[in-house]
Amino acid sequence: MKDDNTLTAQDLTDINGDEFTQAYQQFVKAGDLISLTRQFEQGFAQTGRDNQLSFNVKEAKVSLLDTGILLVEPESSAMSDKPSKRIVISSGIHGNETAPIEIVQQIIGDIIAKKIQVKHPTLFIMGHPVAMNIAKRFKTENLNRLFCGKHQLIEPCFEKYRAEKLEQYVSGFFNAGTSDVTNYHYDLHTAIRSSKYEKFAIYPYQADKPWDKEQLSFMAACGVNTILFGHGPTGTFSYYSSANFAAHAFTVELGKVRPFGENDMTSFQAAADKLTALVCNEDLSLKDFDNNDFNLFEALGDITKVSDNFKLYVDDAASNFTDYPVGTILSTDTGEEYRTTQVGESVVFPNANVGNGQRAALMVVPTTL
Ligand SMILES: [Zn+2]
């Protein structure tokens, strides 16, 4: 093992050997990517890139590229007619967010059981095997802050190594597409705190590009009708694909965190069904966009902790999108206070336990398109 806790190919061969061969054969038969990924959290020496770990299902080729990373490519005869798409569906970027991992598993299971026919190249991701195994959001660093090269700025740890790898797999996947292909990336999460609106999505900052109403309709069809419009570049996985590959991308929060096996999967069925339909090029039956079907929010600004005297009057357990009457004092700090000024002004991601100079809450207001 190297100093930074990542394993070399030789380490992996030494550790895995026959055990991996058996587990892989079991995966080809039963399609359980969760169990294979958890068994080999650090990876394995073999990769799918040279067809070592590839097999065929129903007019498609399945390649295991790395632990938790599965590429499914339809044969050219099975590819959908134009418009063609390349789709990334990621889960488990936070290891304890199990429902999204189970959604991805459900789709992969159906593909390997030959129940569904994939029509667009799709990269499925279970993002953080190490955190999955310890049932934690992350081990050392929050993986969903490390994309867009931000992993280069931190000390060696599993997340640093994994963010770099995930960027490589996603860029390789999107770069393999031709110029007439449209890219998609849905990064599926569940939230730690409760939310006034159970399901919501963060639409990454688009700079000069307009918000895509058809994509909002797709989110609504997935059961997600609360959308928070991003207000600047970030280090999230969805922003990475949006900014670098013009992908239609979202960070999708599907409900509350629960352990494996304790998710009420019926609550996620709409999302699983629509993602399956997208991958299989089936009719999505999307409704035309209508503001009345959505709770849309734009960022108003941050409440920033300036000094040690900072006090946040929003409970850490407050639900996301809790709104306050105009004139409510939400925080005080040396010589200043934060008072709400807009009708419907609401708080998301409150956290008083941050360093000086960091964001303690994001304030948002309702908007329309
Ligand atoms: Zn998450």
Side-chain angles (χ1 to χ4, degrees):
M1 194 179 286
K2 292 187 289 180
D3 293 345
D4 61 357
N5 284 331
T6 57
L7 300 177
T8 64
Q10 187 57 48
D11 291 331
L12 293 166
T13 308
D14 293 348
I15 294 170
N16 297 336
D18 288 349
E19 199 192 340
F20 176 76
T21 307
Q22 275 176 19
Y24 175 71
Q25 282 163 358
Q26 181 60 26
F27 168 69
V28 172
K29 229 168 40 187
D32 186 347
L33 188 65
I34 294 179
S35 113
L36 184 69
T37 301
R38 294 184 70 174
Q39 196 178 344
F40 300 92
E41 59 172 30
Q42 299 282 344
F44 19 84
Q46 304 91 323
T47 74
R49 262 163 297 181
D50 308 314
N51 289 326
Q52 291 180 69
L53 301 179
S54 294
F55 56 98
N56 290 305
V57 295
K58 207 170 178 177
E59 297 179 70
K61 184 170 118 186
V62 176
S63 303
L64 183 65
L65 302 186
D66 200 332
T67 185
I69 312 216
L70 195 75
L71 172 65
V72 182
E73 300 164 293
E75 288 168 14
S76 47
S77 58
M79 288 274 272
S80 89
D81 295 336
K82 305 252 170 332
S84 54
K85 301 172 177 173
R86 293 182 82 81
I87 304 163
V88 175
I89 301 177
S90 56
S91 66
I93 291 298
H94 295 132
N96 60 345
E97 300 178 3
T98 56
I101 300 169
E102 289 176 344
I103 291 172
V104 163
Q105 174 57 49
Q106 193 179 319
I107 303 172
I108 291 171
D110 285 350
I111 293 169
I112 293 179
K114 303 177 185 165
K115 286 186 191 159
I116 58 175
Q117 173 66 62
V118 173
K119 300 265 185 161
H120 298 290
T122 304
L123 187 67
F124 293 97
I125 295 174
M126 296 180 181
H128 197 326
V130 169
M132 276 165 74
N133 277 338
I134 55 175
K136 290 257 163 61
R137 188 170 164 80
F138 53 84
K139 189 175 174 211
T140 311
E141 295 275 348
N142 182 349
L143 180 55
N144 209 23
R145 300 283 178 276
L146 298 183
F147 294 93
C148 301
K150 294 194 185 339
H151 54 82
Q152 290 162 4
L153 308 174
I154 64 164
E155 295 296 311
C157 61
F158 182 79
E159 286 89 2
K160 178 187 176 85
Y161 152 85
R162 188 69 172 171
E164 187 183 5
K165 283 273 181 193
L166 290 173
E167 285 190 356
Q168 284 168 6
Y169 289 119
V170 167
S171 65
F173 175 69
F174 283 139
N175 285 334
T178 49
S179 60
D180 59 341
V181 170
T182 309
N183 294 333
Y184 298 80
H185 182 177
Y186 301 102
D187 185 35
L188 311 180
H189 290 249
T190 45
I192 334 168
R193 67 180 62 247
S194 59
S195 176
K196 185 171 160 190
Y197 307 108
E198 194 203 10
K199 297 179 167 58
F200 65 97
I202 300 166
Y203 197 150
Y205 174 64
Q206 295 292 298
D208 298 335
K209 264 170 50 188
W211 307 108
D212 187 293
K213 289 182 176 171
E214 193 182 337
Q215 280 298 297
L216 295 181
S217 295
F218 180 69
M219 281 292 107
C222 288
V224 181
N225 69 345
T226 298
I227 308 290
L228 173 55
F229 295 115
H231 62 304
T234 64
T236 64
F237 204 11
S238 67
Y239 180 76
Y240 171 75
S241 294
S242 172
N244 292 291
F245 305 101
H248 290 299
F250 288 86
T251 302
V252 189
E253 300 281 355
L254 289 167
K256 199 119 195 258
V257 165
R258 296 193 201 291
F260 276 117
E262 292 183 21
N263 294 300
D264 171 13
M265 293 309 281
T266 57
S267 162
F268 309 107
Q269 206 52 55
D273 287 349
K274 288 298 167 182
L275 289 168
T276 302
L278 179 72
V279 165
C280 297
N281 202 45
E282 286 160 9
D283 181 19
L284 296 170
S285 311
L286 299 184
K287 246 184 103 180
D288 284 343
F289 175 82
D290 179 345
N291 276 297
N292 294 322
D293 295 334
F294 290 87
N295 308 302
L296 305 177
F297 290 93
E298 62 183 359
L300 188 62
D302 291 343
I303 294 181
T304 305
K305 177 179 173 181
V306 177
S307 76
D308 292 342
N309 294 325
F310 179 76
K311 281 205 170 55
L312 186 67
Y313 301 111
V314 178
D315 196 278
D316 269 0
S319 297
N320 277 325
F321 300 103
T322 299
D323 59 312
Y324 299 89
V326 172
T328 308
I329 295 181
L330 293 187
S331 74
T332 54
D333 209 332
T334 310
E336 54 185 278
E337 62 180 27
Y338 186 94
R339 219 178 254 272
T340 54
T341 56
Q342 313 275 319
V343 174
E345 193 169 335
S346 311
V347 70
V348 282
F349 313 127
N351 179 7
N353 281 325
V354 293
N356 293 344
Q358 290 186 327
R359 181 178 86 186
L362 173 64
M363 300 309 298
V364 301
V365 281
T367 186
T368 53
L369 278 192

